């Protein structure tokens, strides 16, 4: 039993912030062409670490971009 391949990403976030994670196979693509992987609102704790697991479905590479919007 081999576990599925995945990428684990983590970043610092702030309380009640909206967090966005985007992925793209090409860094030269405009920001409007990046695919949204997930978005969520941080909990109300002071500071914190967000962690997202993204399963890999192909043998190609992906670049990731994180956005954190203050409430």
């Amino acid at each position: 039993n081999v576990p599925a391949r995945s990428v684990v990403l983590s970043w610092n976030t702030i309380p009640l912030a909206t967090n966005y994670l985007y992925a793209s196979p090409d860094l030269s693509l405009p920001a409007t062409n990046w695919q949204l992987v997930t978005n969520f609102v941080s909990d109300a704790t002071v500071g914190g670490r967000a962690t997202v697991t993204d399963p890999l479905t192909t043998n190609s590479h992906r670049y990731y971009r994180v956005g954190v919007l203050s409430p």
Side-chain angles (χ1 to χ4, degrees), residues 25-56:
D26 186 350
L27 284 175
S28 67
L29 290 175
T32 55
N33 291 356
W34 285 57
Q35 176 187 2
L36 179 66
V37 176
T38 189
N39 65 324
F40 58 91
V41 175
S42 305
D43 63 19
T45 60
V46 177
R49 193 100 178 128
T51 301
V52 172
T53 302
D54 185 28
L56 297 175

Side-chain angles (χ1 to χ4, degrees), residues 3-9 52-57 64:
R5 294 177 42 197
S6 61
V7 173
V8 178
L9 301 142
V52 172
T53 302
D54 185 28
L56 297 175
T57 56
Y64 292 91

